[in-house]
C-alpha cells in the first residue's frame, strides 16, 4: 500500500535495505504510512469532539518477513532508542489476537523501519509506525482489513502495549487520509469525511525543537482531568455538552473548569473552521487557529514558551493564524498564510 511517490519509494527502499542487513535476504512485504498534522481540534478526540487533521508528505516505511531467530525482531534507523519497538510489537500482538487463524501472522517476524517523520514532534510518528506495521504484516499475510479496523487496532496497541491513552484522531487520519487531504472526524460517532482546503491557503510547519514523549505523564493527566470533568457534569462526551449547559462549567474546581472550557470551545471552533473553509473565509479560519492556541496555552496548559514565541512571531509577521499542533509539550506549530500551498506540508 505504498503511496507511490518518489519520496515514499525511497523510504521503503531504506526499510528494505535494513531488513536485508538484519536477515540476509529480501523482505516478504513492505508498506508505508504518512504522518499527520492537525489543523484544529486538539485534546478533544478523547472527549468525543470533532477534529480536522491532514496527512503530510513525510512517511514511515516498514519491511517485514520471517525472522531468523525464532522470535520477533525489530530494526530501525533510530539508533540507540528501542522504545519505538513496543509500538511495532504491540501491533503484531493485536493482529495475532484479532486474526488467530492466520499462519503467516503467527510466525515470528523481523520488522525493519525507516522514516522521515521526526519523533516527538507532534506529527504522529507513532501512529504512522503502527499503521505501516499493520499494513506490511497484513500484506505479508494476504489479508485485507478496512482502514477503520486498522485504525482501531493500532489505537488499542498504543493503549495496551505502549501505555499511551491516546484518542483515535492520529490512527484514523493516518489510516484514511492521502497526503494533502484534510479529514473531518467526529470522534464520538467515527463519522468522517474529506474536507477540501482552498488553494490559496498555505499551511507551514515550524519546529519548536523541543521533543516530547506522550508517555511522560502530561498527556494522561490531561485526559484524566477531562474524564473527571465529564463525570462531574454527568455527560458521556464532554465536547458535546450542549451550549445551554456551558454555565455549569463555572461550578467545577478551577483546573477542571479550565480543561472543560477548552474542550467545549475547541469542539465549537472545529465546526466554525470547517464552515469558514467552505466559504473561503481564510481570515476567520486563521483567527480560529490562534484562538485554539490561546486556549491550549491558557486553559489546557499544554503549550511551551517556544511554541508561544513561534505563534506570536508568526502573527506579528502577518500570518492569518498560528497554533501548536498535536499533543503539545513541545513539537510543532502550524502557521496559516495566504499564498500557494507549501511543499512538504500539503
Ligand atoms: C496525541 C494523541 C491524539 C490526540 C492529540 C491531541 O497526538 O495521540 O489522540 O489526543 O495528541 O489532540
Amino acid at each position: 500500500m505504498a503511496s507511490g511517490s518518489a519520496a515514499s519509494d525511497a523510504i521503503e527502499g531504506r526499510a528494505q535495505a535494513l531488513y536485508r542487513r538484519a536477515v540476509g535476504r529480501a523482505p516478504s512485504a513492505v508498506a508505508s504510512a504518512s504522518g499527520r498534522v492537525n489543523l484544529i481540534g486538539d485534546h478533544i478526540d478523547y472527549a468525543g469532539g470533532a477534529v480536522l487533521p491532514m496527512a503530510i508528505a513525510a512517511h514511515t516505511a516498514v519491511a517485514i518477513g520471517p525472522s531468523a531467530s525464532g522470535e520477533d525482531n525489530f530494526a530501525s534507523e533510530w539508533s540507540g532508542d528501542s522504545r519505538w519497538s513496543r509500538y511495532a510489537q504491540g501491533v503484531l500482538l493485536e493482529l495475532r489476537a484479532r486474526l488467530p487463524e492466520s499462519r503467516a501472522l503467527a510466525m515470528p517476524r523481523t520488522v525493519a523501519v525507516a522514516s522521515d517523520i521526526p519523533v516527538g514532534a507532534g506529527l504522529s510518528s507513532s501512529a504512522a509506525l503502527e499503521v505501516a506495521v499493520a499494513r506490511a504484516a497484513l500484506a505479508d499475510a494476504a489479508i485485507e482489513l478496512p482502514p477503520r479496523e486498522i485504525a482501531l487496532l493500532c489505537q488499542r496497541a498504543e493503549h495496551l502495549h505502549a501505555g499511551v491513552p491516546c484518542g483515535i484522531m492520529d490512527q484514523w487520519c493516518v489510516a484514511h487520509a492521502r497526503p494533502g487531504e484534510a479529514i473531518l472526524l467526529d470522534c464520538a460517532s467515527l463519522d468522517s469525511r474529506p474536507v477540501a482546503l482552498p488553494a490559496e491557503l498555505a499551511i507551514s510547519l515550524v519546529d519548536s525543537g523541543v521533543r516530547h514523549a506522550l508517555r511522560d505523564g502530561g498527556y494522561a493527566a490531561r485526559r484524566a482531568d477531562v474524564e473527571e470533568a465529564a463525570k462531574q457534569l454527568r455527560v458521556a462526551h464532554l465536547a458535546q455538552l450542549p451550549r445551554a449547559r456551558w454555565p455549569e462549567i463555572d461550578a467545577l474546581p478551577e483546573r477542571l473548569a479550565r480543561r472543560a472550557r477548552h474542550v467545549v470551545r475547541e469542539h465549537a471552533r472545529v465546526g466554525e473552521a470547517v464552515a469558514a473553509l467552505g466559504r473561503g473565509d481564510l481570515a476567520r479560519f486563521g483567527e480560529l487557529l490562534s484562538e485554539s492556541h490561546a486556549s491550549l496555552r491558557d486553559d489546557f496548559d499544554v503549550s511551551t514558551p517556544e511554541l508561544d514565541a513561534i505563534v506570536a512571531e508568526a502573527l506579528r509577521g502577518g500570518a492569518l493564524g498560528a497554533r501548536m499542533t498535536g499533543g503539545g509539550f513541545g513539537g510543532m506549530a502550524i502557521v496559516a498564510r495566504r499564498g500557494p500551498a507549501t511543499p512538504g506540508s500539503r
Side-chain angles (χ1 to χ4, degrees):
M1 210 173 289
S3 78
S5 75
S8 72
D9 288 352
I11 295 165
E12 291 190 356
R14 275 161 37 199
Q16 278 166 312
L18 266 176
Y19 181 93
R20 207 174 271 126
R21 263 204 302 284
V23 180
R25 56 183 132 77
S28 30
V30 55
S32 57
S34 42
R36 70 97 190 91
V37 62
N38 190 22
L39 295 177
I40 190 160
D42 270 314
H43 283 281
I44 58 171
D45 58 348
Y46 52 78
V51 295
L52 189 64
M54 170 176 99
I56 56 170
H59 276 82
T60 293
V62 165
I64 198 168
S67 142
S69 71
E71 52 186 34
D72 292 331
N73 277 307
F74 302 91
S76 85
E77 296 177 330
W78 299 305
S79 55
D81 182 1
S82 61
R83 284 176 303 176
W84 67 272
S85 63
R86 289 171 39 189
Y87 294 81
Q89 177 77 79
V91 171
L92 289 184
L93 294 172
E94 288 306 312
L95 281 171
R96 288 170 183 150
R98 164 82 176 67
L99 298 157
E101 66 285 359
S102 166
R103 291 183 47 206
L105 283 174
M107 285 185 315
R109 302 278 100 181
T110 289
V111 174
V113 182
S115 180
D116 63 356
I117 307 174
V119 173
L123 300 181
S124 262
S125 56
S126 6
L129 170 63
E130 292 152 8
V131 171
V133 169
R135 284 176 174 166
L138 288 166
D140 187 16
I143 297 173
E144 280 195 29
L145 280 186
R148 173 197 172 91
E149 284 201 43
I150 293 182
L152 290 166
L153 185 139
C154 290
Q155 181 197 26
R156 193 178 147 80
E158 184 152 342
H159 286 184
L160 297 183
H161 306 283
V164 180
C166 62
I168 188 61
M169 167 171 74
D170 302 346
Q171 290 81 4
W172 191 274
C173 178
V174 169
H176 287 83
R178 288 183 297 259
E181 179 180 271
I183 285 191
L184 175 63
L185 168 66
D186 176 325
C187 300
S189 65
L190 295 185
D191 285 340
S192 76
R193 66 171 169 91
V195 171
L197 298 178
E200 63 279 18
L201 174 65
I203 302 283
S204 52
L205 290 168
V206 185
D207 193 344
S208 73
V210 180
R211 292 291 173 261
H212 64 222
L214 291 182
R215 279 165 305 177
D216 283 352
Y219 185 87
R222 295 305 177 283
R223 184 167 182 162
D225 281 353
V226 165
E227 277 163 11
E228 182 57 30
K231 197 169 134 203
Q232 295 198 17
L233 291 166
R234 294 173 317 280
V235 65
H237 299 298
L238 183 59
Q240 297 186 9
L241 185 74
R243 208 172 268 260
R245 291 190 58 197
W246 287 12
E248 293 174 39
I249 291 175
D250 298 340
L252 292 174
E254 191 266 346
R255 194 184 72 222
L256 294 188
R258 285 191 293 119
R259 305 295 190 244
R261 217 165 277 136
H262 165 73
V263 167
V264 297
R265 290 179 179 165
E266 183 81 349
H267 177 62
R269 274 190 289 269
V270 174
E272 261 201 77
V274 171
L277 287 174
R279 57 176 195 273
D281 187 348
L282 298 190
R284 181 64 190 139
F285 178 73
E287 267 170 26
L288 289 159
L289 297 192
S290 304
E291 285 171 20
S292 165
H293 182 78
S295 174
L296 287 157
R297 179 191 62 207
D298 301 335
D299 281 340
F300 220 72
D301 297 319
V302 289
S303 187
T304 63
E306 295 82 359
L307 286 164
D308 297 343
I310 292 168
V311 168
E313 199 188 309
L315 296 179
R316 271 199 305 275
L320 294 165
R323 61 186 286 275
M324 55 153 277
T325 179
F329 307 106
M332 299 264 181
I334 58 170
V335 179
R337 292 195 175 82
R338 224 176 269 277
T342 323
S345 67
R346 290 281 296 275

